[in-house]
């Protein structure tokens, strides 16, 4: 089941960050995958977008594979799949 327009709009709004680098990565991700995102992907993205900018950046650029508060979630396959897509150049 793919995300509805309202959920996608909310995620895109939440994706506007304080760090330009995060904005660019998230914008590229949504351009590529917004029409394919599942409800589960939306849940993962919500968790990621709730992070502080620097923690999110560490995940997005691969400096870390987990951050405080997401240790358990980072082992989940859907989390890994979304993070892999976010890291694609």
């Amino acid at each position: 089941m793919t995300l509805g327009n309202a959920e996608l709009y909310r995620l895109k709004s939440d994706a506007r960050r304080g760090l330009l680098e995060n904005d660019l990565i998230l914008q590229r991700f949504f351009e590529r995958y917004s029409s394919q995102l599942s409800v589960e992907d939306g849940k993962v993205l919500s968790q990621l977008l709730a992070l502080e900018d620097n923690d999110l950046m560490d995940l997005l650029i691969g400096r870390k594979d987990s951050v405080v508060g997401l240790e358990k979630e980072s082992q989940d396959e859907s989390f890994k799949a979304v993070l892999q897509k976010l890291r694609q150049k």
Side-chain angles (χ1 to χ4, degrees), residues 9-65:
Y9 179 81
R10 184 186 51 78
L11 286 171
K12 286 181 178 181
S13 294
D14 291 347
R16 294 189 189 105
R17 308 300 296 207
L19 289 176
L20 176 61
E21 295 85 350
N22 283 349
D23 283 344
L24 296 173
I25 292 169
L26 291 164
Q27 180 181 7
R28 181 182 63 213
F29 172 82
F30 282 113
E31 286 173 0
R32 290 180 181 168
Y33 300 108
S34 62
S35 64
Q36 306 167 24
L37 294 175
S38 69
V39 173
E40 185 62 31
D41 294 338
K43 290 177 185 176
V44 171
L45 284 167
S46 290
Q47 291 173 327
L48 289 171
L49 295 173
L51 295 171
E52 297 291 326
D53 282 337
N54 290 327
D55 289 335
L56 179 60
M57 176 55 71
D58 287 343
L59 287 173
L60 295 178
I61 65 172
R63 193 176 313 166
K64 295 181 181 178
D65 288 323

